[in-house]
Amino acid sequence: MIAIGDVQGCADCLRELLARLPADEPLWFAGDIVNRGPASLESLRMVRALGSRATCVLGNHDLHLLAVHAGIRPAHETDTLDDILAAPDREELVDWIRTRPLAVARDGYLMVHAGVFPEWSPQDVLERAGEVERVLAGDDWIGFLREMYGNTPARWDDALAGADRLRTIINALTRMRMLAPDGSQDFHHKGPPDTAPAGYRPWFDWPGRRTADTTMVFGHWSSLGLVDTP
């Protein structure tokens, strides 16, 4: 298995990378197939055409595309989604995106786009992801998108229910970088860990994290740089 980070609409780079890889090697994509780069539509079609060879989790930009498509969120000035929104197979592509998982586990690896709460075991991660996946793949997925945005609650609680629970799950899996000293998710710091406020830690460096014995595959944090650690 080869893991590939955020493609972000960079179809030429992806094509060059795929040409260097064994043709039968399973590929894991860590989300954010679309947006920011110049060729979101081509990137999306390329990954989808890989069929069962490709396993892809949802990232925050993929979810943003769903929200823009549904008319729930306006496009940002920096978005590069117009080619998808004007495509004749737009509905088919949107349906493919919204039925992707938020977490996958195989052969000792666990992949999400961004991060996980320290309280979650690997099985918890898959179960929490499944709660959101079922809603996104269901008939009321647009209704869910209307409730998806927001930064609260920022801390996990097993008692969370309804939209608050699903929003907290999706924020962790697709937006997480740093945790504040109380274990709540910080949505503001996007730079390298060594520039964060005192007491803040990357989610993967939190003491007692219940996924610490599982090799995690993730993307999202573009400014993280090289982290060479067990």
Side-chain angles (χ1 to χ4, degrees), residues 53-77:
R53 183 186 174 197
T55 299
C56 181
V57 294
L58 285 172
N60 54 302
H61 283 277
D62 307 313
L63 292 168
H64 175 63
L65 169 60
L66 296 182
V68 174
H69 161 81
I72 292 167
R73 300 280 283 192
H76 300 147
E77 289 185 2

Side-chain angles (χ1 to χ4, degrees), residues 32-48:
D32 279 1
I33 298 299
V34 303
N35 216 9
R36 298 289 173 85
S40 290
L41 176 61
E42 187 178 359
S43 299
L44 181 55
R45 286 176 173 165
M46 198 182 309
V47 173
R48 184 168 178 256

Side-chain angles (χ1 to χ4, degrees), residues 168-185:
T168 305
I169 293 168
I170 214 163
N171 279 344
L173 296 176
T174 68
R175 298 178 62 198
M176 182 175 283
R177 294 183 182 91
M178 302 292 297
L179 296 175
D182 65 354
S184 62
Q185 185 171 351

Side-chain angles (χ1 to χ4, degrees), residues 4-227:
I4 299 173
D6 306 20
V7 175
Q8 300 262 200
C10 295
D12 287 344
C13 294
L14 177 59
R15 185 180 298 104
E16 181 179 346
L17 176 60
L18 293 178
R20 294 167 179 248
L21 301 179
D24 58 350
E25 185 74 30
L27 302 174
W28 276 23
F29 289 89
D32 279 1
I33 298 299
V34 303
N35 216 9
R36 298 289 173 85
S40 290
L41 176 61
E42 187 178 359
S43 299
L44 181 55
R45 286 176 173 165
M46 198 182 309
V47 173
R48 184 168 178 256
L50 291 169
S52 61
R53 183 186 174 197
T55 299
C56 181
V57 294
L58 285 172
N60 54 302
H61 283 277
D62 307 313
L63 292 168
H64 175 63
L65 169 60
L66 296 182
V68 174
H69 161 81
I72 292 167
R73 300 280 283 192
H76 300 147
E77 289 185 2
T78 56
D79 284 350
T80 59
L81 302 173
D82 288 349
D83 52 354
I84 298 175
L85 298 173
D89 54 346
R90 164 179 170 170
E91 296 288 345
E92 188 177 341
L93 293 170
V94 163
D95 284 345
W96 184 83
I97 291 171
R98 70 182 181 88
T99 53
R100 295 310 92 198
L102 281 155
V104 293
R106 193 178 305 151
D107 301 329
Y109 296 93
L110 175 61
M111 178 171 66
V112 299
H113 176 61
V116 300
F117 280 108
E119 300 94 326
W120 291 352
S121 69
Q123 186 60 36
D124 290 335
V125 174
L126 296 173
E127 291 177 1
R128 300 295 85 81
E131 294 178 40
V132 178
E133 291 163 11
R134 287 188 289 275
V135 176
L136 278 175
D139 293 337
D140 193 31
W141 65 278
I142 293 178
F144 164 68
L145 292 178
R146 293 192 179 97
E147 303 288 339
M148 181 177 69
Y149 286 95
N151 293 343
T152 57
R155 191 171 183 177
W156 179 250
D157 186 330
D158 285 333
L160 287 170
D164 281 351
R165 182 181 180 89
L166 297 178
R167 186 184 312 112
T168 305
I169 293 168
I170 214 163
N171 279 344
L173 296 176
T174 68
R175 298 178 62 198
M176 182 175 283
R177 294 183 182 91
M178 302 292 297
L179 296 175
D182 65 354
S184 62
Q185 185 171 351
D186 172 65
F187 296 96
H188 305 293
H189 182 78
K190 299 181 181 181
D194 59 2
T195 62
Y200 284 61
R201 290 175 177 260
W203 66 268
F204 54 81
D205 198 29
W206 194 265
R209 174 171 59 88
R210 294 183 67 199
T211 50
D213 293 332
T214 300
T215 301
M216 301 290 298
V217 178
F218 68 99
H220 184 59
W221 198 343
S222 61
S223 64
L224 186 59
L226 175 64
V227 178

